[in-house]
Amino acid sequence: SVAFAVGDRVDIIMLGSGTTSVTGASGVTVNGVNGGTGAIAAQYAAVSCVKLATNTWVLMGNHGGVS
């Protein structure tokens, strides 16, 4: 519900154990991920989400993405 501007970047760092997942809300496209979700599976690993256009983001970094 935050009005991010195109080009804004959100960094996400997984501090705990387990798996942290990044998933877009309904109507939001997250490019660079498999099945709409990017999973961070290592403690202290990080990803960045960059807004490309309205409701379109790309997830970059250490996640289980599209190979």
Side-chain angles (χ1 to χ4, degrees):
S1 64
V2 176
F4 289 102
V6 171
D8 280 356
R9 175 177 142 173
V10 178
D11 296 320
I12 302 164
I13 302 168
M14 187 173 121
L15 297 177
S17 61
T19 301
T20 299
S21 297
V22 178
T23 304
S26 178
V28 175
T29 300
V30 180
N31 294 308
V33 300
N34 189 10
T37 299
I40 307 168
Q43 189 174 23
Y44 305 115
V47 297
S48 294
C49 298
V50 178
K51 187 169 183 181
L52 301 177
T54 302
N55 294 327
T56 304
W57 294 75
V58 64
L59 187 66
M60 307 177 298
N62 192 355
H63 66 86
V66 177
S67 57

